[in-house]
Amino acid sequence: MFDLIIEGGTVIDGTGAPRVRADLGILAGRIARIGDLADVPAHARFDARARIVAPGFIDVHTHDDRLLLDAPVGAHPKLSQGVTTVVTGNCGISLAPLRRATPPPAPLDLLGDDVWRYDRFGDYLDALEQSGPAVNAACLVGHSTLRVRRMARLDRAATPDEAQAMAADLAEAMAAGALGLSTGLYYPTATAATAEEVIAVGAPLTAAGGLVTMHIRDEGDAIDTALREALHIGRTLGIDTVLSHHKLIGRNNHGRSAETLALIEHASQGQGVCFDCYPYNASSTILLASRVRQSDDVRVTWSKADPSAAGQSLFALAKARGVAPEALADMLQPAGAVYFAMSEDDVSRILAHPMAMVGSDGLAHDVSPHPRLWGTFPRVLGHYARDRRLFSLEMAVHKMTGLSARRFGLAGRGVLAVGHHADVVVFDAQRVADRATYALPTEVSTGIDAVYVNGRLACRDGATQDVHAGRVLRRGGTA
Ligand SMILES: [Zn+2]
């Protein structure tokens, strides 16, 4: 007797293999059988006729460290898209290990002001486990978080003693179940860090089998040097490297993805490397004057100095106020923004690359967030796979499930197979679509019928059901 049979659907298993008609039998949170289960008894049945049944999506690039701790109210930005697992702590920014009363410097403040209470990484994982997250979470340690914790000044490289203290923090976090280290050498908290510093801090990853994700130092004119630096760090440590949200910023660099992808492909012959990306031609992070100059348009996502600026065009606002956009950017601090500075050709070429995984990079605490927070996964399935035919639906699903689980070492997830955890999404391939826009960024996507997390119904037609079905996925934990 199964707990649940998802019947009559078309299964896309996450490996990239062609779809097949099959029922899915679920027992005790696991996939117990795949095949014709018409005559098999079950406590519940879900009619998936004319629907795709796929592994729950894995969002490999998130800043959900705090979102996961808050009890969800209303529609959930991840569950409503079919996401069942997130990787947190990217771009050098993690909530732990860092305890302090005052807000940390940007970009750490993307995670909020009032949640810096975990002195050890294991304390954060324990708190997450106790609160019961809505989705499964695998967690990275942020290099900038370690720098803020261990360094009195951030405008220089770490001393050997400081690097050793950060390495010890990382080793402790790895023992507690962290997935690896993330870096954000682009950000003010880490621009002064050298590759040697990252290698010294990351030393425990080698023996622990951890990985490193990198928001590289420059995604504009100097991207070539920045990519080589990131690859050098991963190669020296002998670990897998994930290049975060691969893209090219600034008009001068449009079209250069042909060159950067060739560089990454070449490197992949000698070391473990892959990358994630989001399906939009605008980026989003803290408001930085340097980034304003590279952009065709800039939309303010939040501002502490002037909350009314959220959702507005920085250029239009600057014109109305008679100031230069860069000057206004300074006046709005601390603040965040969406930047229109990428080419659609690069976005498509990068997303279509066989090594590309999907990661939203969504910022859950922004007042007027980039629509990627609510729309990333349906947008890949609807806009890019179905409407633009950039790749098959099987390949789209693979980029957000099987490939991601393999690259991040998430055992027993990302592929629909007997014995695996029952993270499952049922969606309508004809209707699946993102609805979040820059003007209306929190619209719930359509076409995601049902989302199961560890066998429990977590979301139905965009409406949140079970908000505690997720688990903390500790590295080295049992599959
Ligand atoms: Zn980033």
Side-chain angles (χ1 to χ4, degrees):
M1 176 81 99
F2 290 126
D3 294 330
L4 169 72
I5 292 178
I6 299 173
E7 61 186 1
T10 299
V11 170
I12 293 181
D13 70 1
T15 63
R19 62 195 79 184
V20 292
R21 285 290 302 273
D23 307 324
L24 222 60
I26 292 166
L27 183 64
R30 304 249 182 185
I31 298 168
R33 206 189 300 172
I34 302 174
D36 181 356
L37 307 179
D39 302 323
V40 178
H43 291 296
R45 310 185 86 90
F46 185 89
D47 182 359
R49 277 175 294 176
R51 296 290 185 269
I52 300 293
V53 179
F57 306 140
I58 299 170
D59 190 345
V60 295
H61 190 103
T62 84
H63 298 286
D64 292 346
D65 307 42
R66 178 188 165 191
L67 179 76
L68 291 170
L69 289 166
D70 298 342
V73 179
H76 192 279
K78 300 298 157 95
L79 285 175
S80 64
Q81 295 185 60
V83 170
T84 56
T85 298
V86 299
V87 177
T88 69
N90 277 284
C91 298
I93 307 161
S94 63
L95 209 53
L98 185 62
R99 182 163 58 189
R100 52 186 282 153
T102 54
L108 272 66
D109 57 352
L110 287 174
L111 298 179
D113 294 341
D114 54 346
V115 281
W116 302 90
R117 61 177 88 105
Y118 304 105
D119 196 37
R120 300 179 335 151
F121 200 79
D123 295 344
Y124 170 69
L125 296 183
D126 291 346
L128 204 51
E129 219 150 53
Q130 277 154 26
S131 66
V135 294
N136 303 309
C139 307
L140 297 161
V141 183
H143 173 227
S144 282
T145 298
L146 296 179
R147 291 192 111 231
V148 170
R149 174 185 171 88
R150 291 293 182 186
M151 296 176 68
R153 287 176 52 185
L154 300 173
D155 60 349
R156 56 169 176 76
T159 64
D161 282 352
E162 288 165 339
Q164 204 169 29
M166 289 191 263
D169 290 338
L170 178 61
E172 184 182 293
M174 294 302 291
L179 214 54
L181 178 72
S182 81
T183 66
L185 298 180
Y186 170 77
Y187 287 111
T189 42
T191 43
T194 58
E196 288 64 39
E197 175 185 321
V198 178
I199 290 164
V201 173
L205 298 170
T206 310
L211 54 79
V212 63
T213 72
M214 297 191 156
H215 181 158
I216 60 174
R217 201 180 287 278
D218 192 305
E219 294 172 326
D221 296 352
I223 191 168
D224 188 77
T225 311
L227 277 175
R228 287 177 198 281
E229 178 187 51
L231 293 165
H232 163 71
I233 291 168
R235 200 166 53 238
T236 305
L237 288 169
I239 58 172
D240 284 356
T241 302
V242 180
L243 302 164
S244 294
H245 43 59
H246 187 48
K247 60 177 169 295
L248 289 119
I249 296 287
R251 199 155 275 182
N252 293 342
N253 304 304
H254 290 181
R256 287 183 65 195
S257 57
E259 169 197 324
T260 58
L261 291 171
L263 175 66
I264 297 167
E265 272 174 34
H266 181 74
S268 74
Q269 292 164 16
Q271 67 185 107
V273 58
C274 60
F275 56 90
D276 60 73
C277 59
Y278 48 79
Y280 296 87
N281 59 15
S283 60
S284 183
T285 184
I286 50 174
L287 182 55
L288 294 160
S290 58
R291 195 82 163 238
V292 169
R293 282 189 284 278
Q294 296 171 310
S295 304
D296 296 330
D297 195 8
V298 176
R299 186 181 278 267
V300 180
T301 53
W302 60 277
S303 165
K304 286 255 173 75
D306 181 359
S308 73
Q312 303 206 51
S313 160
L314 182 79
F315 292 162
L317 216 52
K319 204 171 173 186
R321 297 184 183 181
V323 293
E326 287 91 338
L328 181 58
D330 287 339
M331 289 155 64
L332 295 177
Q333 296 296 333
V338 167
Y339 304 89
F340 295 85
M342 287 186 247
S343 98
E344 181 55 41
D345 286 350
D346 284 325
V347 172
S348 299
R349 188 184 291 128
I350 290 167
L351 185 59
H353 192 279
M355 286 163 78
M357 299 174 286
V358 178
S360 73
D361 202 9
L363 300 171
H365 311 294
D366 286 9
V367 176
S368 179
H370 187 301
R372 66 193 185 190
L373 175 65
W374 287 83
T376 288
F377 292 83
R379 184 169 172 80
V380 172
L381 300 170
H383 178 69
Y384 283 102
R386 179 190 60 227
D387 300 342
R388 291 209 21 219
R389 298 174 179 273
L390 194 60
F391 32 65
S392 67
L393 192 59
E394 284 83 348
M395 193 47 61
V397 169
H398 179 57
K399 286 173 175 298
M400 48 183 81
T401 58
L403 180 63
S404 319
R406 177 154 55 83
R407 288 299 195 171
F408 280 83
L410 305 176
R413 309 207 182 250
V415 169
L416 295 180
V418 171
H420 279 200
H421 298 279
D423 294 339
V424 184
V425 56
V426 181
F427 67 92
D428 183 342
Q430 303 309 313
R431 280 198 316 124
V432 66
D434 58 304
R435 288 176 63 234
T437 63
Y438 295 100
L440 296 169
T442 61
E443 295 291 301
V444 175
S445 299
T446 53
I448 305 289
D449 293 286
V451 185
Y452 294 90
V453 178
N454 295 305
R456 287 154 64 174
L457 181 62
C459 188
R460 181 83 170 93
D461 292 324
T464 309
Q465 309 286 323
D466 187 332
V467 295
H468 297 297
R471 289 189 198 147
V472 177
L473 309 183
R474 297 184 194 241
R475 186 195 55 84
T478 50

